[in-house]
Amino acid sequence: ERGGNNSFTHEALTLKYKLDNQFELVFVVGFQKILTLTYVDKLIDDVHKEFRDKYRNEFQQKGTLGLLNGTFDFKDDFMRLLRDAEESSKVRAPTVMKTFEQSLKSQKTVKCMIETRGEKPKEKVKNKKNKGSKKEGPEAVAVPGKASAGDKQPSAAGEREELTKDEILQKNREEFFKRHMKAGEKSSKSPKPEAQKEKGKKPRVWDLGNSNAKVLDYSNSATNGSAEACPVEEFDPDIALGDRNREPGRLYDLEYESDDEAEEEKVIQNPSKPSAKKGGLGGMFGMLKGLVGSKSLTREDMDPVLEKMKDHLIAKNVAAEIAVQLCESVAKKLEGKVMGTFTTVTSTVKQALQEALVQILQPQRRVDVLRDVMDAQRHRRPYVVTFCGVNGVGKSTNLAKISFWLIENGFSVLIAACDTFRAGAVEQLRTHTRRLNALHPPESHGGRTMVQLYEKGYGKDAAGIAMEAISYARNQGFDVVLVDTAGRMQDNAPLMTALAKLIAVNAPDLVLFVGEALVGNEAVDQLVKFNKALADHSMAQTPRLIDGIVLTKFDTIDDKVGAAISMTYITSKPIVFVGTGQTYCDLRSLNAKAVVAALMKA
């Protein structure tokens, strides 16, 4: 799935490789990383062609393993190819500059280079003539109008000279009133509009709104906003929880109904007349190449299909750069591969792409939060999670959802309000804490408060507040600390430095990047720069980077799920949680097959 990147660095070595899919071979060249060898690509291509052509018959008779397990002599050929590649890369002598006699300027005569004052070059005169000829039409039409106006002007001027100033003013007034009277008559002849509807606004009633208006009336409140004296809100738990039939504490997978079964591809018998079925998978991967018939795939066979595939991925919100790399990796994976008799190029390429996308979305290291929290419990310390991301992606809202999920699994949560910049950030978390405590009161958990807010107001050092919150959680026996940070743009160097300091000082167990599913190319820029800032501003030998992703607003994008691919491809980190709505239960785990099914839908 990452075949577009044909190099790999391991300690002091760099490895470059090339695939031969026809005979299932991998050619690898290794060299020291500090060397800049310009001939490596040429060498590996030459070795690939020479080796394949020399032993083609043996491969077909004995098979690849039969040849490689036996004996073969390729050393002399390799040394010859290496010498040729080195010779080709040697620095050539700089090219000699042309003499004056060899230049075009020497072929010009002195006469053609002399310009007389006032005389314009012939080419410019011609161009101006052409431009003038174009203007002759409209000017010819406008001239008579101007002439007639010019004829009237002297007579009008003569009349005005005979009239006095008062008479001129009176005449101008009469003309002004006549014009307005005519405009009024025209408007009166226009059809009368329908009778206007009753004026006045009616208050809109929302289906999920709080019908208790007294809760929103703070006019006579004497508490002055203090958290302790605030009355407990009366609200319907169904509104906050959504689905009441769910299993408490369970994190459900994303669901998506695929139409692949109903939309089977049709094999085209006549490849000279390909048909593109609009709206179906044929429209997405049009230009079928027909039956391949036991021959090896070439790049020319796949290029039209790959071009359609790339456009489709970009339309589904996959970043353009990553869509190109994905198509390149699929091409390298399939080039030279022998196809079956009843297989089309389109179906083969589509199948390869689906497999690559599923592998990208399935993490190399699975993040199991519940297991890690229980491990931290055994060591009698809180499990610390830090949330970071750009402005307005839903960090605080999804932090509250994750708090609810942890509480339902029996873990106590301390929320650290480290967003000391945005107005209302602390109050937002205080409201979430109050609601979560109403849903899970201490009486239901043996008198134990399941969620609490640790805040020090605004304008304070976020790293210091996080450190104090972790220390408080350790002393009070909280299981999990969720650190909320201020939203910041990836280009803001001072704020990125502050975030790197917070992570370096407090060493959280999990750093989650919160990104919204609506973004396309911006997802790559955000993640690359967040990781780069954390690496640049960290003082540790091995800097702490992003460990996982929270993908929010997934319910707003229909089947344009490309942001999930972009984020996981660029970081190789898993999507731990997916936000799918506004209630506390709208939290899901990523289902790779469901996302790929939505992505491949036409």
Side-chain angles (χ1 to χ4, degrees):
E1 69 277 8
R2 296 179 189 274
N5 308 324
N6 63 344
S7 63
F8 175 73
T9 303
H10 177 69
E11 295 179 358
L13 292 178
T14 297
L15 302 177
K16 284 201 170 186
Y17 63 88
K18 183 169 184 180
L19 304 177
D20 186 317
N21 294 302
Q22 184 177 358
F23 297 118
E24 297 182 345
L25 293 170
V26 184
F27 293 85
V28 186
V29 58
F31 55 95
Q32 290 187 6
K33 186 168 63 174
I34 59 171
L35 299 178
T36 307
L37 302 181
T38 56
Y39 61 82
V40 169
D41 292 326
K42 181 182 185 321
L43 174 65
I44 200 168
D45 287 339
D46 292 344
V47 170
H48 170 224
K49 290 174 185 174
E50 185 86 14
F51 189 84
R52 184 186 60 190
D53 295 342
K54 185 174 181 179
Y55 296 107
R56 180 183 295 274
N57 295 330
E58 285 85 343
F59 283 135
Q60 292 172 350
Q61 292 170 7
K62 300 179 184 178
T64 307
L65 289 176
L67 176 70
L68 297 179
N69 290 334
T71 57
F72 58 92
D73 185 17
F74 192 70
K75 185 175 181 182
D76 295 338
D77 299 313
F78 174 74
M79 296 309 294
R80 174 175 52 80
L81 293 171
L82 179 60
R83 280 195 302 273
D84 293 344
E86 286 174 343
E87 287 292 330
S88 67
S89 69
K90 284 185 179 177
V91 180
R92 297 180 180 85
T95 55
V96 182
M97 290 181 64
K98 288 181 181 180
T99 61
F100 179 73
E101 288 74 18
Q102 293 171 334
S103 65
L104 293 173
K105 196 170 183 181
S106 65
Q107 299 172 12
K108 293 182 179 180
T109 61
V110 177
K111 186 178 180 181
C112 72
M113 297 169 67
I114 296 174
E115 289 186 10
T116 309
R117 182 174 292 181
E119 184 182 337
K120 295 179 181 178
K122 291 181 181 179
E123 291 181 3
K124 292 183 179 178
V125 173
K126 283 181 183 176
N127 291 339
K128 289 198 173 179
K129 280 183 181 177
N130 292 336
K131 287 181 184 176
S133 64
K134 287 180 184 176
K135 289 182 181 177
E136 282 174 7
E139 281 180 3
V141 175
V143 167
K146 288 180 181 177
S148 62
D151 294 339
K152 289 181 182 178
Q153 281 173 359
S155 62
E159 286 177 8
R160 291 200 175 187
E161 286 176 4
E162 294 173 3
L163 297 174
T164 62
K165 287 184 179 179
D166 294 336
E167 289 173 342
I168 292 170
L169 284 172
Q170 186 65 27
K171 195 171 184 181
N172 288 341
R173 282 197 191 108
E174 288 174 2
E175 288 176 359
F176 176 76
F177 283 120
K178 282 179 184 177
R179 283 199 300 270
H180 275 267
M181 288 293 288
K182 288 179 181 176
E185 287 174 6
K186 286 180 181 177
S187 63
S188 65
K189 290 178 183 178
S190 61
K192 292 183 180 180
E194 295 178 3
Q196 293 183 352
K197 294 181 181 178
E198 294 181 4
K199 292 183 179 179
K201 272 185 156 184
K202 291 184 179 179
R204 182 167 182 177
V205 180
W206 297 91
D207 295 336
L208 298 177
N210 196 331
S211 58
N212 190 359
K214 292 180 181 178
V215 175
L216 303 174
D217 185 11
Y218 291 99
S219 57
N220 297 323
S221 175
T223 59
N224 198 20
S226 62
E228 292 77 10
C230 280
V232 177
E233 291 184 25
E234 295 179 7
F235 66 95
D236 188 359
D238 289 343
I239 296 171
L241 297 179
D243 185 12
R244 297 289 288 183
N245 298 321
R246 64 186 172 70
E247 184 181 335
R250 181 179 171 185
L251 194 64
Y252 288 89
D253 284 343
L254 275 175
E255 294 178 358
Y256 182 78
E257 294 181 3
S258 175
D259 299 333
D260 283 352
E261 294 80 8
E263 297 180 352
E264 295 180 353
E265 277 188 295
K266 294 182 179 179
V267 176
I268 304 300
Q269 297 296 336
N270 186 2
S272 63
K273 294 181 180 179
S275 64
K277 184 181 177 183
K278 293 183 179 178
L281 290 173
M284 182 179 78
F285 297 123
M287 305 171 71
L288 295 178
K289 283 295 179 182
L291 299 179
V292 179
S294 297
K295 76 160 193 171
S296 58
L297 273 176
T298 63
R299 191 61 181 258
E300 289 73 24
D301 294 334
M302 293 184 288
D303 275 345
V305 183
L306 289 170
E307 190 63 29
K308 287 277 184 182
M309 180 189 299
K310 184 191 75 175
D311 294 341
H312 176 76
L313 291 175
I314 293 172
K316 292 283 187 172
N317 246 1
V318 178
E321 176 190 350
I322 289 169
V324 172
Q325 291 178 10
L326 275 169
C327 294
E328 187 66 26
S329 67
V330 168
K332 288 191 176 182
K333 185 177 180 181
L334 294 179
E335 192 172 3
K337 189 175 181 180
V338 178
M339 309 303 301
T341 307
F342 297 101
T343 313
T344 60
V345 176
T346 305
S347 60
T348 305
V349 172
K350 182 187 168 190
Q351 182 65 29
L353 177 68
Q354 284 180 326
E355 291 171 2
L357 292 173
V358 170
Q359 286 182 353
I360 287 168
L361 288 172
Q362 287 175 342
Q364 297 173 355
R365 172 186 171 268
R366 186 168 179 268
V367 177
D368 191 335
V369 176
L370 298 180
R371 179 197 62 196
D372 294 343
V373 172
M374 288 189 282
D375 185 62
Q377 272 184 331
R378 284 193 290 272
H379 292 86
R380 296 187 177 181
R381 64 174 185 83
Y383 183 78
V384 182
V385 184
T386 298
F387 295 81
C388 62
V390 300
N391 311 65
V393 293
K395 290 184 294 299
S396 302
T397 303
N398 284 275
L399 181 145
K401 292 181 188 178
I402 294 168
S403 299
F404 177 76
W405 173 68
L406 288 167
I407 293 166
E408 292 221 319
N409 281 283
F411 299 114
S412 56
V413 178
L414 180 68
I415 300 174
C418 295
D419 183 354
T420 62
F421 177 76
R422 175 172 64 90
V426 177
E427 286 75 11
Q428 181 183 2
L429 291 176
R430 186 178 292 131
T431 302
H432 279 306
T433 305
R434 191 186 304 139
R435 285 219 158 188
L436 289 169
N437 275 320
L439 291 169
H440 285 276
E443 297 79 32
S444 303
H445 297 273
R448 184 186 182 192
T449 302
M450 294 306 289
V451 58
Q452 192 172 329
L453 178 66
Y454 189 91
E455 53 99 357
K456 291 289 183 181
Y458 296 95
K460 307 291 194 307
D461 178 38
I465 295 175
M467 183 180 286
E468 292 176 19
I470 294 167
S471 176
Y472 179 81
R474 187 182 291 110
N475 295 333
Q476 297 297 320
F478 282 94
D479 299 320
V480 184
V481 179
L482 301 180
V483 180
D484 184 35
T485 63
R488 63 204 76 210
M489 293 307 293
Q490 64 270 23
D491 300 316
N492 192 322
L495 290 179
M496 294 305 296
T497 308
L499 177 64
K501 175 191 169 186
L502 185 149
I503 292 172
V505 168
N506 295 289
D509 298 282
L510 188 65
V511 179
L512 292 178
F513 176 83
V514 184
E516 57 186 9
L518 300 167
V519 295
N521 290 317
E522 187 69 8
V524 177
D525 189 55
Q526 288 174 6
L527 277 163
V528 167
K529 288 187 177 175
F530 261 80
N531 260 337
K532 187 176 183 300
L534 294 179
D536 291 348
H537 301 299
S538 176
M539 306 299 291
Q541 183 91 16
T542 54
R544 185 63 184 282
L545 304 178
I546 291 166
D547 299 315
I549 298 164
V550 179
L551 196 60
T552 65
K553 306 179 185 178
F554 206 80
D555 53 318
T556 64
I557 56 170
D558 193 26
D559 59 355
K560 290 181 172 56
V561 296
I565 298 291
S566 301
M567 290 182 179
T568 48
Y569 188 94
I570 206 69
T571 58
S572 298
K573 300 298 181 184
I575 295 176
V576 186
F577 300 104
V578 179
T580 59
Q582 296 296 317
T583 69
Y584 289 134
C585 294
D586 290 328
L587 194 69
R588 298 287 184 270
S589 63
L590 187 80
N591 182 351
K593 291 184 179 178
V595 172
V596 172
L599 194 66
M600 300 301 289
K601 182 184 175 186

